Amino acid sequence: MRIIYVFALLCSMLGYGQYAPEYDFFRTKYPNAHSVRLNQETKVYIKLNNGKIDITQEEIQEDLYLDENATHGSKKSLNFSSFFELESIEASSFVYEKNKYKEAKVGNFKEKDDLNSSFYDDTKSLNFIYPNLKKGAKSKLKYATKVKNPRFLSPFYFGDFYPIKNNKITIVADKDITLAFQKFNTENVDITFSKEEKKGKVFYTWQLEDVEAYEYEKDAPSFKRIIPHIVPMITSYKVDDKTVSLLKDPADLYNWYYSLVKDVNKDEGDAQLIAVVNEITADKKSDLEKIRAIYYWTQKNIKYIAFEYALGGFIPREANSVFKKKYGDCKDNSSILYKMLEIAGIKGNLTWIGTRSIPYSYNEVPTPIVDNHMILSYMDGDQTYFLDATGRFTPLEYPSSFIQGKEALISIDATNYVIKKVPVVPATKNALVEKTTIDIDDKRIVGKSEAAISGYKKRDYLYGLENELTDEKIKEFYNYYLRKGSNKFLIENIVEHNKYDYDKNLIVAYDFSVDDVVKQLGDEIYVNLNLNKKISNFKTKKDRKNEIEYDYKSHYSYTTTLNIPDGFEVSYVPENLAVANDYLSSSITYEVKERQITYEHDIVLDFLIADVAQQKEVNSLIKSVEKGYKEIIILKKKK
């Protein structure tokens, strides 16, 4: 490959080209790429300074732009915070003119707040524009940051959504500092690693060359599950021949977490907060009923707003303050829940957890990057309830959908904690169960339906409906989400039940019609009762490269009863169909009874994440069901 590269350079040098030789080479090598990162180097210096760990991280990024999209990439921003202090920055663009690159340095950097997270985030951004960036140009960025807390070493990635020519990471640590490294998604990647000790320092080096671009695909999991990377951790260090444990295991992480929250909510509850707790729990007989009332009150009355600063990103605000303001972030919601339960005589437990975008366990990565969320837990014997009041419409028995299957670090007291896995809610609890009766009216069908919507599916409906304030907007919403047959579906006379009852299914009853779905030829009527072809939405492309992820498991059940028109009888009914694998199951059945045909279609999506091989199994099953979707019933006029 190097011979080809050199040859291309020599050939291009023979002419007085518009673009640099390296542009011609990489434009040919990566014809679909907008840019290529020529060099990405990270150097981290970790040393002991008067018994404390001092960390500086230097970055160099050099990019070559391969098409006209270069102008869109001219605006750049660099994030930093109280944990990552920006020490220096240099940025330049290089335009190729007269057989050489001409440098133009960036001279104007603008700082602004860039709050975009719900956990330990007081991010600011430094914004700048590369001058005269265009096709064939290059940019170079060099900056250094001070890592203010040794627990906050960042992951290092060996790829991105653009190709990378050279990717090198070097960590230089004093020999009295012990590090550990966790590797993720590196099984099929040829990363060169070396470790060398000299002059009281240990040099760790990783290098990877010619990295192809990773492809972005819809509904793929977090890039942390796709792109190869390592997570460095400082486990311990020595000071005066004494070993100080930092992040050796989850206990070290918990001890630090607890030190930050141990003094929260020591004051008595605000008198008005106490009054609220007493009022909403007055008629409740059990602790669980009291918890339910408090949890639902918090969801409805404390607005979620993400705002953090420094260690405030880890320390919940006082419950009394949250109550008075009526807003807070995830930690603040947990704080007021904790205090309200305490007022009711119930013990809750502050709980740290990472959302599903973070694919690490506490034993793998016992550092703060394993977490990005806080909730409250309540343990009742073997049953644990995971309470997250940052959202709305979530029943007590349901965790937030984005923490299903994740480990939770539950605080017990100053020295004790427990790690528990959040359960994945069964598909049947996130259901759309619809019963429909239809009649044939010339070329259309008219009918009545009643849909029962539960769990996360109900939550999604309510999120969509809460801003639909007019009858017409509500009608448009249901016309889209409850569509049957074709886009000629029209819904009328909608009646909703239990709409904002957290513990009951949302019931939607309505009338509808669908034009042009009935065909009559001579004495025969042809009707396709497969009015809901939901399973086709779960089919993935044959050339998909990544896993696919869904918010939750789902169940769909459609029962359609056709009243046979007077003067007609059943001539043909399709055969029943049932297919299943470990990830998806579906069935279609027909039953003729007296003057009716009852059609039932059931779908169970029984996974959250499926890899490429599993997707092929799912697609094969879907293909069988789609054949069933083409089947019709035939009614024949009586003689």
Side-chain angles (χ1 to χ4, degrees), residues 144-160:
T145 55
K146 179 76 73 175
V147 182
K148 302 299 289 289
N149 189 309
R151 297 171 179 86
F152 282 94
L153 284 180
S154 301
F156 301 117
Y157 294 89
F158 294 99
D160 214 310

Side-chain angles (χ1 to χ4, degrees), residues 315-328:
I315 303 172
R317 294 171 180 83
E318 295 290 329
N320 291 335
S321 173
V322 178
F323 173 70
K324 289 175 181 177
K325 293 182 295 187
K326 295 297 188 295
Y327 65 82

Side-chain angles (χ1 to χ4, degrees), residues 179-231:
L179 286 92
F181 306 96
Q182 281 287 359
K183 299 184 294 183
F184 296 91
N185 315 317
T186 60
E187 297 82 2
N188 300 313
V189 183
D190 188 19
I191 299 171
T192 301
F193 171 72
S194 66
K195 178 182 177 182
E196 181 183 8
E197 183 176 339
K198 57 184 178 181
K199 296 182 180 181
K201 298 185 182 298
V202 182
F203 292 74
Y204 306 86
T205 304
W206 297 262
Q207 189 162 10
L208 183 63
E209 295 186 345
D210 296 318
V211 187
E212 297 287 336
Y214 286 84
E215 185 176 343
Y216 172 80
E217 293 179 305
K218 184 182 177 183
D219 296 323
S222 161
F223 66 94
K224 293 181 176 70
R225 287 183 61 96
I226 298 170
I227 295 178
H229 63 284
I230 58 170
V231 178

Side-chain angles (χ1 to χ4, degrees), residues 261-271 273-274 316-322 324 335-336 338-340 342-343:
V261 302
K262 61 184 177 63
D263 296 323
V264 176
N265 287 329
K266 296 299 184 183
D267 295 339
E268 292 293 322
D270 182 277
L273 180 59
I274 293 172
R317 294 171 180 83
E318 295 290 329
N320 291 335
S321 173
V322 178
K324 289 175 181 177
S335 173
I336 193 170
Y338 180 93
K339 193 66 177 182
M340 292 177 76
E342 181 182 77
I343 292 168

Side-chain angles (χ1 to χ4, degrees), residues 603-625:
I603 305 168
V604 177
L605 182 75
D606 205 22
F607 68 92
L608 295 180
I609 295 179
D611 62 28
V612 173
Q614 292 164 344
Q615 290 171 45
K616 292 185 185 301
E617 293 186 50
V618 170
N619 286 350
S620 178
L621 185 149
I622 291 174
K623 188 175 180 180
S624 298
V625 178

